[in-house]
Amino acid sequence: MSTTTNRETAPRDGGSVDHRLARLLETPFFARVVPHLAPETLHQLIQYRGLDACGDLVTSATPAQLTSLLDLDLWRHAQPGRDEQFDVDRFGEWLEVLVETGSSVAARAVAALDKHLVIVGLSRYLRLFDPGTFEPTESTDDEPMDRNEMMNSETSSDVLECEVGGYLVRARRTDAWDAIVTLLVTLESEHNHYFHTVMQGCRLLSNSRPEIDGLDALLIAPEQRLHDVAIERERRRSQHGYAAPADARAFLRVARQPQSTPNASPIATAYFRAVEEEASAPHQEATEDISTSIDAVIELLAEAGVMPERPRALLGASDEGLRATRLPLLKRLIEFVLHHDEPAYLTRSREHAFLANTLLAGSSVQSRPFTPQEASDAAACICNLGLECWTARGPGATSRGKSSPRKPDTSMPPDAFLVGHDLVTAFEVGWSVLYQDVSLFVADQLLSTLADLRCVDPDTRRGLRALRRKLEQQRKAGTPWGARDAAPGQRAGQHSRPRLQMHAAASDAS
């Protein structure tokens, strides 16, 4: 075994972290380690070293790992808490890196991917035609057009194009053109069935046009295919413990309203079902030396500062996490469950992971994403608040739904409360308290203050009037934090400005 992958024999002064990571990636033994690494760890390596330096790592990954890697790397948040968008530029970079490792290796890796993802990605770079459509036909009145003349009539003469496997391929954009053509030629010769499936899909998307009358409300074919790919990605990621942004926003929106009966959330139920299906699937066991190498990789990443926190999909309510919290009520109840009912403790841990991942996917704080640690802490705090308010505001309580400051409740749940009650419901109670007693209460108080406020400066007066109108609209819609940007001093470029602080954790939740 190479000494560079054994942390007990590798010298601690063997160079900088960058140098040791570079040596680790170049070690032949590392190809045996890659299939046992979590996709999140591989993604951290790619982000730290750069995709160009990780070609061998990518080609050593299993098809499932590569799919998960692309799920992580090809999608970007346009705004925290919103749906992620497909990154076309990054898709081209991936194709170039794969082809640089060898055309046959790249073709084998691509052929193992979901064909719909490949079709969506390639259709952003190419237009495909059947050359037969450009064959000249006889006409009684006009002279037949030359084949090349017909082909050139479709576009300008300087566009990149070639014929591959009986298809005319034209470039929509020139970047990654050489890599794509090389990949297609290799797919045609070595993975012919997959090649024709992808090319036919791209050809259909090349010819998609909206209805002429403009009354068609359906997505055109390329956008519909991209939507289908995004849905399939969310399904795969849910099996690894991720929450889909749309599901997360829906859960948080429903949780604002107090529930009269303890009903299980269908979104949470679907999340746990997907995680259980993944847990029941067979997994490849790692040998002792590979396990040691995995630890060495993670240790190097942590030392480099690129893995200061656990990956999002691994975020959980571990023994160290919930027991070490400073929330006295939640700590007491969790410690009781831990010592008296281990299955219930594991269930509560999974629920805490779901809640933290939901905040990560569907919410933001001060217009920025939560960090994993912040999401974990916020979920625990909201659960603790829900437990404190359970008697007065929980399912079956008589004083639910009032928008007034919360009064201390001296009736606390018993130690065994979380043996039979779930953290998801406790979170929903706490979330509704924050919404009713913080967001709506502060909005009402601010509206009252603005109604009585007088100002001699005309610009400030107009700004306050606009804020009041916007806040009234958003308060009526139930989303008062939507008026935050209307506050005077909230325009871009002003640094020292007052902020409209209303339920910051939910400000962009849905």
Side-chain angles (χ1 to χ4, degrees):
M1 175 179 173
S2 172
T3 58
T4 59
T5 59
N6 190 331
R7 61 178 175 179
E8 293 185 3
T9 59
R12 299 299 300 173
D13 58 349
S16 65
V17 173
D18 287 349
H19 181 62
R20 282 184 286 152
L21 267 178
R23 284 194 299 163
L24 184 65
L25 291 174
E26 294 170 358
T27 303
F29 179 79
F30 189 65
R32 293 176 52 197
V33 177
V34 169
H36 300 275
L37 292 173
E40 292 82 6
T41 302
L42 295 176
H43 189 230
Q44 291 288 346
L45 272 168
I46 289 172
Q47 287 189 316
Y48 184 72
R49 293 288 301 165
L51 183 58
D52 291 343
C54 296
D56 292 335
L57 178 151
V58 168
T59 55
S60 299
T62 65
Q65 283 178 311
L66 188 55
T67 298
S68 296
L69 266 176
L70 294 177
D71 286 343
L72 287 166
D73 201 66
L74 289 183
W75 303 78
R76 298 286 187 269
H77 277 295
Q79 181 183 351
R82 301 289 105 185
D83 292 336
E84 295 168 308
Q85 304 299 318
F86 184 72
D87 190 337
V88 180
D89 296 334
R90 189 64 167 174
F91 180 82
E93 292 176 20
W94 271 86
L95 292 185
E96 289 180 316
V97 168
L98 285 172
V99 171
E100 284 177 2
T101 63
S103 58
S104 295
V105 175
R108 184 173 65 250
V110 171
L113 297 175
D114 177 16
K115 63 179 181 294
H116 300 295
L117 172 64
V118 177
I119 291 170
V120 164
L122 288 177
S123 67
R124 264 52 180 178
Y125 284 84
L126 309 172
R127 289 187 69 195
L128 263 67
F129 303 94
D130 183 348
T133 61
F134 297 104
E135 293 296 337
T137 57
E138 296 295 335
S139 174
T140 57
D141 299 323
D142 302 319
E143 293 183 3
M145 292 181 66
D146 178 77
R147 181 176 185 268
N148 291 332
E149 193 177 333
M150 293 182 65
M151 292 170 62
N152 291 333
S153 67
E154 289 288 319
T155 185
S156 61
S157 58
D158 59 348
V159 72
L160 294 173
E161 65 178 32
C162 66
E163 288 191 33
V164 181
Y167 299 91
L168 175 64
V169 182
R170 282 192 176 141
R172 291 182 185 270
R173 44 191 295 174
T174 59
D175 52 315
W177 168 256
D178 292 337
I180 290 174
V181 171
T182 300
L183 175 65
L184 293 179
V185 170
T186 309
L187 281 174
E188 194 271 335
S189 62
E190 299 181 9
H191 304 273
N192 190 262
H193 178 73
Y194 186 88
F195 167 79
H196 284 289
T197 300
V198 169
M199 298 297 271
Q200 290 168 10
C202 290
R203 185 178 61 181
L204 290 175
L205 298 186
S206 299
N207 298 328
S208 175
R209 295 289 186 274
E211 294 291 334
I212 297 177
D213 57 15
L215 300 178
D216 189 356
L218 298 176
L219 293 172
I220 59 176
E223 300 308 318
Q224 181 61 53
R225 183 66 69 92
L226 180 59
H227 176 73
D228 294 341
V229 168
I231 294 297
E232 182 62 21
R233 169 183 178 261
E234 290 179 357
R235 184 196 65 79
R236 288 192 300 266
R237 284 166 59 79
S238 67
Q239 294 178 330
H240 296 283
Y242 290 86
D247 290 343
R249 294 195 301 270
F251 172 82
L252 296 174
R253 185 164 52 248
V254 172
R256 294 178 198 158
Q257 305 302 325
Q259 304 296 318
S260 58
T261 57
N263 297 321
S265 166
I267 295 175
T269 301
Y271 173 93
F272 295 132
R273 185 186 304 117
V275 173
E276 288 172 358
E277 291 175 356
E278 172 65 14
S280 62
H283 297 279
Q284 186 177 6
E285 295 294 332
T287 61
E288 183 178 353
D289 57 344
I290 290 178
S291 298
T292 303
S293 300
I294 292 173
D295 293 340
V297 172
I298 296 176
E299 182 180 311
L300 273 176
L301 288 173
E303 188 177 346
V306 296
M307 281 186 66
E309 298 169 307
R310 302 177 67 185
R312 177 160 61 175
L314 304 179
L315 182 67
S318 65
D319 183 23
E320 180 182 355
L322 280 182
R323 292 180 64 196
T325 183
R326 297 180 180 179
L327 305 172
L329 178 56
L330 183 60
K331 178 182 178 181
R332 173 170 61 86
L333 300 185
I334 284 293
E335 284 186 338
F336 181 90
V337 175
L338 175 63
H339 293 106
H340 294 83
D341 195 326
E342 185 175 354
Y345 175 77
L346 294 176
T347 301
R348 301 294 88 82
S349 298
R350 292 170 53 208
E351 291 164 356
H352 179 258
F354 162 74
L355 296 169
N357 282 313
T358 296
L359 289 176
L360 274 168
S363 187
S364 66
V365 55
Q366 294 302 315
S367 300
R368 67 167 177 82
F370 278 97
T371 67
Q373 188 59 52
E374 287 174 341
S376 180
D377 293 342
C381 289
I382 296 169
C383 289
N384 191 80
L385 176 61
L387 293 170
E388 290 178 353
C389 301
W390 188 278
T391 302
R393 307 290 285 273
T398 58
S399 59
R400 294 174 289 103
K402 296 182 179 180
S403 181
S404 58
R406 180 174 62 92
K407 297 180 179 180
D409 185 6
T410 57
S411 177
M412 292 289 105
D415 289 349
F417 185 79
L418 288 182
V419 173
H421 294 80
D422 61 277
L423 282 180
V424 174
T425 304
F427 178 93
E428 292 174 331
V429 174
W431 192 255
S432 67
V433 169
L434 284 176
Y435 178 68
Q436 300 286 336
D437 294 358
V438 178
S439 290
L440 299 187
F441 177 77
V442 171
D444 292 340
Q445 294 298 308
L446 182 54
L447 282 171
S448 177
T449 300
L450 290 173
D452 299 333
L453 192 63
R454 299 293 179 267
C455 182
V456 296
D457 181 69
D459 292 336
T460 303
R461 187 167 58 250
R462 281 193 296 269
L464 293 174
R465 192 181 301 119
L467 171 61
R468 182 182 176 187
R469 287 196 299 267
K470 184 69 172 180
L471 184 56
E472 286 175 343
Q473 295 173 357
Q474 294 295 331
R475 173 63 178 86
K476 185 176 181 180
T479 56
W481 51 86
R484 180 178 55 193
D485 293 338
Q490 290 294 314
R491 287 179 287 276
Q494 299 183 8
H495 301 287
S496 299
R497 58 182 185 263
R499 291 183 176 271
L500 188 62
Q501 302 282 6
M502 296 183 301
H503 194 187
S507 62
D508 297 311
S510 56

